[in-house]
Amino acid sequence: MRDDDNDCCCVIFDLDGTLINTEAIVDEAVVSTIKTMKKSVSEREIFDAAEDCRGQRPLEASVELCEKLDLHDVVKPAELLTKCGEKLQWDGIDIPDMPGAVRLLEFLKRKKVPMALATSTSRKELEKKMKSTGRTSDDGKHRGDLLSYFDAICCGDEVAKGKPDPEIFHLAMERLGVKREDAGRCLVFEDTPHGVSAAKAAGCCCVAVPSLRREKFDMYKGADRVYHSLMDIELEDFGLPKFEDWKEVKTVEFVKEDGDASLSSQTRKYERFLKLDAFLELTGPVIRGFGRGSKMLGIPTANLDVVPLKQQIDKLAPGIYFGFAKISSGKHKSTGIHRTVMSIGYNPFFNDKRKSIEPWLLREFEEDFYDETLSVLVCAYVRAECNFTTVENLIERIRKDARVCEEALDLDLVEGLDSWKHWFEDDV
Ligand code: ADP
Ligand code: RBF
Ligand code: MG
């Protein structure tokens, strides 16, 4: 327990959608199950309802789902749960970490901050999920190692009432030895509105990292802060030690986000970047994008197809990154290594429905290089994607991102490039 009266004394995490990415897998099982039962509801409606039910214990979520989609004539909530459960065996399924989850857990562990897990999942289901194959391939760690970060683990079947009731957070505090009157010094991480309601009802401070679509961000109004991803959390704002891995870029003047009232304003005064623990190589043919980069912004972006790269980019929070690019087939092959800043996400200013990967190579080319093979090495995270009130502000921000990249690379601030020597030497 941390001593200072104002310090945060413990951190409590939700699991699904907050630390591990099970939501897409669950949604898919729910949609495919309901589709066969009631032909008159569309996939879109099922997805939408499934999102709204997130965060609760399985049976309660199932009850809400049946109500929302008016399924009473075709199935009972308990039966729907069983049917979906049959599809969700987890065994052999790869459940990825949420981007930034392990960095956050590692840091808090190192700083000796007491941590608990408060999940709506039952103990049995948790055990199954922890046997999934996620993480194993990359870093030699097992999915189950995730549990070793926690001083207490509370499951949905250990409480009489599930989220949005506060009981599970009270239980987590009790197990960490935190008194009820200290609830305000407990920080909770949640991804769903139901989870946020539970944390606030328990009197805790609550950070939301929404797993719902942007259109539904209004539902997170109860949270103390809303962040785009776990990468963006400023722990010092909650009486916790400050992350030590961000690097400041001194000559680039800081610009504040100007168009996204739903997200917390930043208190920083400097531009910064975060070297990724593992660089990510993205390779594919340059495809046609939305046709507005050069025309509207004067900033051409050589789009890559997200479909074959989906698994890889899901490891990254949507956001702005920098690194290097090389063209490895076609007319521009052997033009060398080019610095690049890129957006990987939904471009909120344009409200894109599909994700895109858009690297802007920081040099001039006389001709287009569509269909040629582009390989990008993503090395560092700069910021979340944001919205802007004017196109000029968007352009100014992107140009600042380019300067962050240039300064970081000019001053050799990105470590670990040596181990990618082969990438820099092959094919250029
Ligand atoms: P689209 O919407 O089709 O991606 P853009 O206006 O973004 O169109 O232009 C991108 C194209 O411009 C790239 O596919 C590439 O062929 C070309 N291009 C020229 N210079 C650059 C550069 N410096 N960075 C990225 N792409 C460039
Ligand atoms: N679009 C946004 O809507 N918000 C952003 O914060 C944003 N940042 C960008 C940063 C960089 C470095 C680049 C290259 C693009 C960014 N864009 C952003 C994407 C821009 O909207 C996109 O390239 C154009 O829409 C062209 O398709
Ligand atoms: Mg483009």
Side-chain angles (χ1 to χ4, degrees):
M1 175 100 159
R2 292 154 57 81
D3 301 328
D4 193 304
D5 282 354
N6 301 314
D7 269 357
C8 173
C9 63
C10 67
V11 179
I12 307 176
F13 289 93
D14 166 59
L15 178 68
D16 294 276
T18 300
L19 295 175
I20 61 174
N21 192 354
T22 42
E23 312 311 72
I25 303 169
V26 173
D27 286 355
E28 210 168 287
V30 169
V31 171
S32 65
T33 308
I34 297 178
K35 236 175 28 186
T36 59
M37 293 173 165
K38 189 162 180 166
K39 302 271 181 297
S40 59
V41 287
S42 69
E43 256 183 48
R44 186 71 264 162
E45 286 170 305
I46 307 172
F47 267 118
D48 208 41
E51 272 199 351
D52 289 348
C53 299
R54 277 184 199 165
Q56 302 177 89
R57 291 188 294 188
L59 184 59
E60 285 146 355
S62 190
V63 169
E64 194 183 322
L65 202 57
C66 288
E67 261 162 40
K68 274 187 188 290
L69 295 172
D70 198 15
L71 300 179
H72 295 288
D73 47 337
V74 291
V75 69
K76 295 218 159 34
E79 188 193 340
L80 176 61
L81 192 60
T82 314
K83 289 249 155 67
C84 292
E86 284 162 9
K87 296 208 163 121
L88 286 171
Q89 284 309 309
W90 303 115
D91 216 9
I93 289 181
D94 188 347
I95 308 179
D97 293 321
M98 290 304 287
V102 171
R103 164 178 174 260
L104 175 61
L105 292 169
E106 279 286 340
F107 180 75
L108 293 173
K109 186 92 191 163
R110 190 149 59 76
K111 296 295 172 184
K112 302 197 164 39
V113 178
M115 288 188 272
L117 192 67
T119 174
S120 298
T121 295
S122 68
R123 178 71 60 168
K124 226 172 127 187
E125 197 72 5
L126 176 67
E127 274 164 21
K128 275 199 211 161
K129 285 179 187 170
M130 289 300 126
K131 289 208 178 87
S132 75
T133 54
R135 307 184 80 200
T136 41
S137 45
D138 279 21
D139 52 10
K141 288 196 172 162
H142 291 278
R143 161 59 59 226
D145 295 343
L146 196 75
L147 299 184
S148 67
Y149 290 103
F150 303 105
D151 304 287
I153 292 169
C154 306
C155 295
D157 53 347
E158 295 180 274
V159 288
K161 286 188 178 160
K163 299 172 189 175
D165 189 277
E167 190 180 343
I168 196 156
F169 290 109
H170 287 148
L171 180 65
M173 285 163 55
E174 191 185 307
R175 290 192 177 159
L176 290 176
V178 175
K179 293 199 273 312
R180 287 275 179 104
E181 62 259 37
D182 286 328
R185 293 169 55 216
C186 297
L187 180 62
V188 172
F189 284 90
E190 267 291 350
D191 72 302
T192 66
H194 286 300
V196 171
S197 303
K200 290 315 292 175
C204 300
C205 181
C206 185
V207 159
V209 177
S211 63
L212 305 191
R213 283 164 293 137
R214 210 168 244 272
E215 298 92 272
K216 298 188 178 176
F217 275 17
D218 267 0
M219 293 164 77
Y220 293 94
K221 277 209 271 284
D224 294 275
R225 288 279 187 96
V226 180
Y227 285 104
H228 300 262
S229 80
L230 294 176
M231 304 286 277
D232 303 310
I233 314 286
E234 320 250 38
L235 290 173
E236 65 277 21
D237 290 359
F238 303 95
L240 284 163
K242 186 177 171 169
F243 274 119
E244 292 152 359
D245 48 4
W246 283 101
K247 289 212 172 124
E248 283 177 41
V249 174
K250 303 226 165 56
T251 64
V252 186
E253 186 197 330
F254 182 67
V255 263
K256 251 192 157 78
E257 203 172 302
D258 76 330
D260 220 333
S262 66
L263 294 152
S264 43
S265 65
Q266 297 153 324
T267 48
R268 280 180 288 119
K269 295 276 181 305
Y270 51 87
E271 287 300 338
R272 61 180 189 177
F273 71 91
L274 182 64
K275 183 187 84 73
L276 299 181
D277 283 337
F279 296 167
L280 194 68
E281 185 183 354
L282 303 172
T283 303
V286 174
I287 60 164
R288 302 262 156 198
F290 301 96
R292 58 190 181 217
S294 324
K295 282 195 204 79
M296 237 185 118
L297 310 173
I299 296 171
T301 53
N303 298 41
L304 292 177
D305 189 355
V306 291
V307 176
L309 298 170
K310 186 180 177 328
Q311 271 209 335
Q312 290 174 70
I313 58 172
D314 277 356
K315 293 183 188 187
L316 301 176
I320 312 309
Y321 294 81
F322 72 77
F324 300 90
K326 64 183 181 188
I327 300 169
S328 56
S329 86
K331 199 172 161 196
H332 292 78
K333 181 177 157 122
S334 307
T335 49
I337 303 279
H338 319 291
R339 292 175 175 183
T340 182
V341 264
M342 68 206 100
S343 111
I344 301 181
Y346 300 89
N347 304 327
F349 184 78
F350 296 99
N351 202 10
D352 294 341
K353 293 284 170 280
R354 283 178 297 120
K355 230 183 197 175
S356 63
I357 306 173
E358 307 208 19
W360 175 30
L361 279 50
L362 299 180
R363 57 155 282 180
E364 300 262 328
F365 289 88
E366 302 209 328
E367 286 173 273
D368 287 345
F369 42 91
Y370 286 112
D371 304 322
E372 299 184 28
T373 307
L374 183 72
S375 178
V376 177
L377 188 64
V378 190
C379 301
Y381 175 72
V382 179
R383 63 177 177 90
E385 301 180 277
C386 40
N387 205 344
F388 297 87
T389 44
T390 64
V391 72
E392 288 75 24
N393 289 351
L394 169 63
I395 295 169
E396 186 197 3
R397 178 64 253 198
I398 298 175
R399 295 195 169 280
K400 286 249 153 85
D401 296 327
R403 283 167 47 205
V404 171
C405 165
E406 299 278 19
E407 178 164 335
L409 296 177
D410 280 347
L411 299 180
D412 257 337
L413 299 177
V414 180
E415 289 150 17
L417 294 174
D418 297 351
S419 52
W420 283 84
K421 231 176 166 163
H422 60 282
W423 189 89
F424 288 91
E425 284 167 2
D426 290 351
D427 261 350
V428 294

